[in-house]
Amino acid sequence: MVSQRLSRLEGHRRKFMAVIDGTPECQRAVHYAGRRAKNSNGGLVLLYVIPEGDFQQWLGVEEIMRAEAREEAEATVAKTAQLVRETIGIEPEVVIREGGVAEQINAAIEDDRDVAILVLAAGSAKEGPGPLVSSVAGRGAAFPIPVTVLPDTLTNEEIDALC
């Protein structure tokens, strides 16, 4: 059970969360979440989850692998945050976690009680809409807040019109 959301209380604001995973569709989710945040005087949280890796190597190798994964995460999120600043004009919050994606999304939602909407975008690959959207559709990873899933055909201009 998720803790009560605080986004409607005085001194709080509703936040939209987008997951950064390096897929083309995640940029559409960020664009939508950022526009919705700006238009509703809310906030934007960019979440990057470093996947559970095979870090059980010798101690020195494990530390190097973790550091490299962290550097890659920071660089990816920094690039996305800069794009949000330039195109939307808001300052996003950045959260980097390590572990299973669904578990870390739930943990981030629990840690920040202002997060009220998770935004995902469906992919257009023949394999399906993407792992996150598939997990939501298959109820393998039910999230405790509403999830907005963008269709794969929307352009940024169409997203702007919806926001």
Side-chain angles (χ1 to χ4, degrees), residues 22-79:
T23 61
E25 57 266 19
C26 88
Q27 293 305 319
R28 285 196 333 275
V30 168
H31 188 81
Y32 179 85
R35 287 285 181 207
R36 285 293 316 261
K38 182 174 183 172
N39 291 346
S40 65
N41 199 28
L44 172 62
V45 176
L46 302 176
L47 173 65
Y48 188 105
V49 179
I50 300 170
E52 293 175 308
D54 188 17
F55 293 135
Q56 279 95 35
Q57 306 291 332
W58 293 303
L59 186 59
V61 175
E62 177 184 348
E63 290 174 6
I64 292 169
M65 290 173 72
R66 282 185 192 279
E68 288 174 349
R70 182 77 183 190
E71 285 177 20
E72 179 183 337
E74 290 172 352
T76 300
V77 175
K79 182 178 175 184

Side-chain angles (χ1 to χ4, degrees), residues 101-125:
V101 176
E103 294 82 16
Q104 294 307 317
I105 291 171
N106 280 314
I109 291 167
E110 184 63 27
D111 288 348
D112 187 343
R113 293 175 53 196
D114 287 338
V115 173
I117 299 174
L118 174 62
V119 179
L120 305 174
S124 58

Side-chain angles (χ1 to χ4, degrees), residues 1 7-9 11 22 30 42 48 67 71 73 81 85 100 127 131-132 137 139 145 149:
M1 179 162 191
S7 57
R8 294 291 182 193
L9 299 178
V30 168
Y48 188 105
E71 285 177 20
R85 284 186 214 92
E127 296 83 29
L132 276 177
R139 300 193 47 84
I145 59 175
V149 180

